[in-house]
Amino acid sequence: MNVLLTGGAGYIGSHIAVELLESGYDVVIADNFSNSDKGVITAIEKITGKRIDLFEIDVADKVKLNEVFEQTKPEAVIHLAGFKAVGESVSKPLMYYRNNIDCTLSLLEIMEAHNVNKLVFSSSATVYGIGERLPYTEEMLLGEASNPYGATKQMIERIIMDTVSCGWLSAVILRYFNPVGAHQSALIGEKPQGIPNNLMPYIMQVANGSLPELRVYGNDYPTRDGTGVRDYIHVMDLAKGHVDALKYFQDNDGVEVFNLGTGVGYSVLEIVAAFEKANGVKIPYSIVGRRDGDLAEVYADVKKAKNLLGWNAKLTIEDMCKDSYAFALIEKT
Ligand code: WQD
């Protein structure tokens, strides 16, 4: 069974590709490599011993995307292609709306033309707006997104739900919390371009000596130790959630939304301490001002994915820290 991964060469997509190949699926990747490099494809094939069908295209390009469907005839699509840096979305909103929405509209139009009716969408906890009570549950009415990136995810969820309502599409929407970690081979992992925006890749670069110290964005939040709390989930657990989502289509149609998190929040300083303990390293840091757009605390209610998908996160914070560090050391060499 051919599964098309749009944006499949990225951090999340590459780990999903490994999990799919090892679960017996055939994988097609369509990616423009705007936030990834081709070495990832080689690494995926080395880890699994299987080949990837790769198309270097912009997913918004309907002519090229149509050719991918004609040549590979996918039975399902996992849609990850899109820009995803919160801060960048605040400074470049039009680029985010144009790219993320165009990719989705082009994909859905080509899927309809080829009668491909199974879609798994990579959504995000940022769709839960400002001030909603914790833990976030899928049934919550979504408030105003805290940034343009989150707004594109809200819009795409609505586009997908409306398309399901008109009858030809079935969809599973997966709201990721904070994916971190790397495949245990350390051949793939999180390698953002430039200075990392996110906490774990920043810690990784402090740990491997690429950056001098971590800046902790505020310690005056109403949390256990004043620093921001998030629900970190190992990227391999996240990848497994996508395989379970594909199986969900066997007995279900329509659309379902699932949180993919652990249900447990850790503060920035708790992550630093866990990373130091897991790897026997010191992570120097300094407390600086809050970052615009940050919420104090975010974590998931994960009962629905357990009950309906039979999925729950199994890997621990220690696993996340060890696997992140192993990849950071490989990247440094
Ligand atoms: C986590 C905590 C920061 C960096 C983002 C995206 C979200 C999703 C996951 C895609 C916060 C603090 C961070 C640093 C710090 N991605 N921090 N120093 O913002 O929760 O979510 O990634 O879907 O869309 O918004 O993750 O890792 O940036 O921040 O103190 O150098 O770490 O303030 O409390 P975030 P993050």
Side-chain angles (χ1 to χ4, degrees):
M1 174 181 172
N2 258 351
V3 179
L4 169 62
L5 297 183
T6 70
Y11 168 48
I12 308 291
S14 55
H15 288 80
I16 293 171
V18 166
E19 204 55 40
L20 286 172
L21 288 167
E22 293 185 341
S23 302
Y25 293 93
D26 296 308
V27 170
V28 180
I29 286 180
D31 202 305
N32 64 4
F33 293 98
S34 62
N35 193 24
S36 54
D37 67 54
K38 292 190 182 161
V40 167
I41 304 299
T42 308
I44 294 167
E45 294 181 335
K46 185 173 179 185
I47 291 168
T48 61
K50 297 186 178 177
R51 279 208 14 76
I52 292 267
D53 215 348
L54 172 67
F55 294 82
E56 185 175 358
I57 65 158
D58 182 340
V59 171
D61 179 337
K62 285 178 70 174
V63 172
K64 292 271 193 284
L65 189 62
N66 187 61
E67 289 167 9
V68 175
F69 276 70
E70 280 178 346
Q71 290 178 39
T72 66
K73 298 176 177 32
E75 291 182 40
V77 179
I78 300 180
H79 180 35
L80 302 128
F83 297 149
K84 63 150 194 164
V86 167
E88 185 183 51
S89 79
V90 175
S91 57
K92 298 177 181 173
L94 292 181
M95 184 178 93
Y96 270 68
Y97 288 114
R98 170 61 67 191
N99 181 70
N100 291 6
I101 306 300
D102 267 1
C103 283
T104 302
L105 294 175
S106 296
L107 174 65
L108 289 172
E109 288 168 345
I110 296 297
M111 285 179 72
E112 184 175 22
H114 287 264
N115 299 314
V116 178
N117 59 15
K118 297 180 184 69
L119 173 69
V120 177
F121 174 56
S122 161
S123 191
S124 164
T126 42
V127 301
Y128 292 107
I130 302 163
E132 269 143 12
R133 70 188 185 292
L134 290 166
Y136 291 153
T137 60
E138 295 89 344
E139 294 70 36
M140 278 176 169
L141 285 176
L142 302 182
E144 181 193 346
S146 52
N147 54 74
Y149 161 75
T152 67
K153 292 294 188 180
Q154 282 188 349
M155 289 174 192
I156 294 167
E157 287 195 4
R158 176 62 195 267
I159 290 167
I160 290 170
M161 289 175 183
D162 288 347
T163 306
V164 169
S165 300
C166 80
W168 63 269
L169 182 69
S170 289
V172 172
I173 293 172
L174 300 177
R175 292 176 180 164
Y176 305 169
F177 280 69
N178 286 58
V180 295
H183 187 266
Q184 63 265 31
S185 66
L187 292 176
I188 52 175
E190 188 166 14
K191 192 171 65 172
Q193 291 174 345
I195 302 292
N197 288 301
N198 297 137
L199 178 66
M200 188 59 90
Y202 203 105
I203 288 176
M204 288 158 66
Q205 292 195 22
V206 172
N208 73 12
S210 303
L211 291 168
E213 67 165 12
L214 171 70
R215 292 163 308 161
V216 176
Y217 295 141
N219 66 348
D220 57 351
Y221 286 104
T223 62
R224 288 188 288 278
D225 60 18
T227 62
V229 171
R230 296 291 184 274
D231 183 336
Y232 297 93
I233 175 171
H234 198 294
V235 67
M236 289 313 293
D237 276 329
L238 192 78
K240 287 177 170 56
H242 290 72
V243 176
D244 292 334
L246 286 176
K247 290 177 187 156
Y248 187 73
F249 289 121
Q250 288 165 7
D251 304 315
N252 301 276
D253 54 20
V255 57
E256 278 302 345
V257 180
F258 296 99
N259 288 334
L260 293 191
T262 65
V264 178
Y266 282 87
S267 76
V268 176
L269 293 182
E270 288 167 344
I271 291 294
V272 169
F275 194 96
E276 291 180 330
K277 182 176 181 213
N279 297 306
V281 294
K282 194 79 188 120
I283 301 294
Y285 68 84
S286 55
I287 306 290
V288 297
R290 291 183 178 189
R291 179 174 66 177
D292 288 348
D294 269 349
L295 300 174
E297 196 157 11
V298 174
Y299 57 90
D301 179 306
V302 295
K303 287 193 286 292
K304 187 176 178 185
K306 175 75 177 156
N307 296 338
L308 294 189
L309 289 183
W311 173 93
N312 64 286
K314 295 180 169 58
L315 295 169
T316 65
I317 277 291
E318 183 182 13
D319 297 319
M320 295 176 215
C321 292
K322 281 183 172 172
D323 294 340
S324 296
Y325 187 50
F327 180 71
L329 293 179
I330 294 276
E331 277 309 294
K332 179 71 177 167
T333 50

